[in-house]
mmCIF file of all heavy atoms in Angstrom:
data_model
loop_
_atom_site.group_PDB
_atom_site.id
_atom_site.type_symbol
_atom_site.label_atom_id
_atom_site.label_comp_id
_atom_site.label_asym_id
_atom_site.label_seq_id
_atom_site.Cartn_x
_atom_site.Cartn_y
_atom_site.Cartn_z
ATOM 1 N N ASP A 165 86.157 45.770 -40.461
ATOM 2 C CA ASP A 165 86.357 44.979 -39.170
ATOM 3 C C ASP A 165 85.032 44.811 -38.446
ATOM 4 O O ASP A 165 84.783 43.726 -37.893
ATOM 5 C CB ASP A 165 87.368 45.720 -38.338
ATOM 6 C CG ASP A 165 88.755 45.770 -38.955
ATOM 7 O OD1 ASP A 165 89.040 44.896 -39.874
ATOM 8 O OD2 ASP A 165 89.532 46.659 -38.636
ATOM 9 N N GLN A 166 84.238 45.810 -38.304
ATOM 10 C CA GLN A 166 82.977 45.721 -37.607
ATOM 11 C C GLN A 166 82.049 44.701 -38.303
ATOM 12 O O GLN A 166 81.352 44.000 -37.647
ATOM 13 C CB GLN A 166 82.291 47.102 -37.482
ATOM 14 C CG GLN A 166 83.010 48.072 -36.580
ATOM 15 C CD GLN A 166 82.451 49.469 -36.625
ATOM 16 O OE1 GLN A 166 81.954 49.924 -37.723
ATOM 17 N NE2 GLN A 166 82.535 50.160 -35.529
ATOM 18 N N LEU A 167 82.088 44.803 -39.625
ATOM 19 C CA LEU A 167 81.219 43.831 -40.368
ATOM 20 C C LEU A 167 81.642 42.441 -40.152
ATOM 21 O O LEU A 167 80.808 41.532 -39.948
ATOM 22 C CB LEU A 167 81.258 44.225 -41.831
ATOM 23 C CG LEU A 167 80.336 43.492 -42.838
ATOM 24 C CD1 LEU A 167 78.855 43.848 -42.472
ATOM 25 C CD2 LEU A 167 80.641 43.765 -44.270
ATOM 26 N N ASN A 168 82.925 42.151 -40.176
ATOM 27 C CA ASN A 168 83.442 40.780 -40.005
ATOM 28 C C ASN A 168 83.126 40.324 -38.531
ATOM 29 O O ASN A 168 82.761 39.217 -38.306
ATOM 30 C CB ASN A 168 84.966 40.780 -40.195
ATOM 31 C CG ASN A 168 85.302 40.861 -41.660
ATOM 32 O OD1 ASN A 168 84.508 40.559 -42.517
ATOM 33 N ND2 ASN A 168 86.440 41.430 -41.962
ATOM 34 N N GLU A 169 83.178 41.249 -37.553
ATOM 35 C CA GLU A 169 82.951 40.902 -36.236
ATOM 36 C C GLU A 169 81.482 40.550 -36.015
ATOM 37 O O GLU A 169 81.176 39.539 -35.330
ATOM 38 C CB GLU A 169 83.317 42.077 -35.275
ATOM 39 C CG GLU A 169 83.090 41.756 -33.813
ATOM 40 C CD GLU A 169 83.403 42.997 -32.917
ATOM 41 O OE1 GLU A 169 83.920 44.000 -33.474
ATOM 42 O OE2 GLU A 169 83.168 42.909 -31.709
ATOM 43 N N LEU A 170 80.543 41.303 -36.620
ATOM 44 C CA LEU A 170 79.139 41.022 -36.505
ATOM 45 C C LEU A 170 78.817 39.682 -37.190
ATOM 46 O O LEU A 170 78.033 38.862 -36.646
ATOM 47 C CB LEU A 170 78.305 42.113 -37.132
ATOM 48 C CG LEU A 170 76.831 41.974 -37.153
ATOM 49 C CD1 LEU A 170 76.292 41.846 -35.697
ATOM 50 C CD2 LEU A 170 76.168 43.095 -37.829
ATOM 51 N N ARG A 171 79.429 39.384 -38.297
ATOM 52 C CA ARG A 171 79.134 38.121 -39.000
ATOM 53 C C ARG A 171 79.663 36.969 -38.229
ATOM 54 O O ARG A 171 79.084 35.964 -38.062
ATOM 55 C CB ARG A 171 79.812 38.185 -40.399
ATOM 56 C CG ARG A 171 79.455 36.963 -41.262
ATOM 57 C CD ARG A 171 80.196 36.940 -42.586
ATOM 58 N NE ARG A 171 81.613 36.818 -42.291
ATOM 59 C CZ ARG A 171 82.619 36.965 -43.195
ATOM 60 N NH1 ARG A 171 82.239 37.340 -44.421
ATOM 61 N NH2 ARG A 171 83.861 36.785 -42.950
ATOM 62 N N ASP A 172 80.895 37.123 -37.657
ATOM 63 C CA ASP A 172 81.462 36.007 -36.859
ATOM 64 C C ASP A 172 80.586 35.715 -35.589
ATOM 65 O O ASP A 172 80.374 34.560 -35.182
ATOM 66 C CB ASP A 172 82.869 36.360 -36.389
ATOM 67 C CG ASP A 172 83.835 36.422 -37.526
ATOM 68 O OD1 ASP A 172 83.490 35.880 -38.595
ATOM 69 O OD2 ASP A 172 84.890 37.108 -37.421
ATOM 70 N N ARG A 173 80.016 36.783 -35.027
ATOM 71 C CA ARG A 173 79.204 36.516 -33.828
ATOM 72 C C ARG A 173 77.912 35.812 -34.224
ATOM 73 O O ARG A 173 77.460 34.893 -33.493
ATOM 74 C CB ARG A 173 78.823 37.931 -33.221
ATOM 75 C CG ARG A 173 78.061 37.734 -31.929
ATOM 76 C CD ARG A 173 77.666 39.097 -31.314
ATOM 77 N NE ARG A 173 76.898 38.822 -30.084
ATOM 78 C CZ ARG A 173 76.171 39.756 -29.475
ATOM 79 N NH1 ARG A 173 76.205 41.008 -29.946
ATOM 80 N NH2 ARG A 173 75.464 39.527 -28.460
ATOM 81 N N LEU A 174 77.351 36.236 -35.428
ATOM 82 C CA LEU A 174 76.148 35.503 -35.868
ATOM 83 C C LEU A 174 76.420 33.990 -36.085
ATOM 84 O O LEU A 174 75.674 33.096 -35.715
ATOM 85 C CB LEU A 174 75.680 36.112 -37.122
ATOM 86 C CG LEU A 174 74.886 37.462 -36.953
ATOM 87 C CD1 LEU A 174 74.624 38.097 -38.355
ATOM 88 C CD2 LEU A 174 73.601 37.265 -36.211
ATOM 89 N N LEU A 175 77.640 33.745 -36.691
ATOM 90 C CA LEU A 175 77.972 32.351 -36.942
ATOM 91 C C LEU A 175 78.205 31.574 -35.684
ATOM 92 O O LEU A 175 77.828 30.433 -35.533
ATOM 93 C CB LEU A 175 79.200 32.340 -37.919
ATOM 94 C CG LEU A 175 79.036 32.785 -39.280
ATOM 95 C CD1 LEU A 175 80.354 32.756 -40.040
ATOM 96 C CD2 LEU A 175 77.973 32.038 -40.004
ATOM 97 N N ARG A 176 78.844 32.217 -34.682
ATOM 98 C CA ARG A 176 79.068 31.502 -33.459
ATOM 99 C C ARG A 176 77.755 31.192 -32.729
ATOM 100 O O ARG A 176 77.586 30.087 -32.183
ATOM 101 C CB ARG A 176 79.939 32.407 -32.476
ATOM 102 C CG ARG A 176 81.407 32.475 -32.882
ATOM 103 C CD ARG A 176 82.222 33.026 -31.715
ATOM 104 N NE ARG A 176 81.694 34.252 -31.213
ATOM 105 C CZ ARG A 176 82.145 35.444 -31.711
ATOM 106 N NH1 ARG A 176 83.008 35.537 -32.679
ATOM 107 N NH2 ARG A 176 81.647 36.550 -31.181
ATOM 108 N N GLU A 177 76.764 32.150 -32.760
ATOM 109 C CA GLU A 177 75.553 31.920 -32.094
ATOM 110 C C GLU A 177 74.698 30.864 -32.752
ATOM 111 O O GLU A 177 74.046 30.076 -32.129
ATOM 112 C CB GLU A 177 74.736 33.187 -31.907
ATOM 113 C CG GLU A 177 75.457 34.298 -31.087
ATOM 114 C CD GLU A 177 75.612 33.818 -29.668
ATOM 115 O OE1 GLU A 177 74.795 32.979 -29.217
ATOM 116 O OE2 GLU A 177 76.493 34.235 -28.948
#
Side-chain angles (χ1 to χ4, degrees):
D165 294 337
Q166 292 172 328
L167 187 65
N168 291 332
E169 182 182 353
L170 179 60
R171 187 185 67 190
D172 293 341
R173 186 181 177 193
L174 285 171
L175 292 178
R176 285 196 306 271
E177 295 298 332

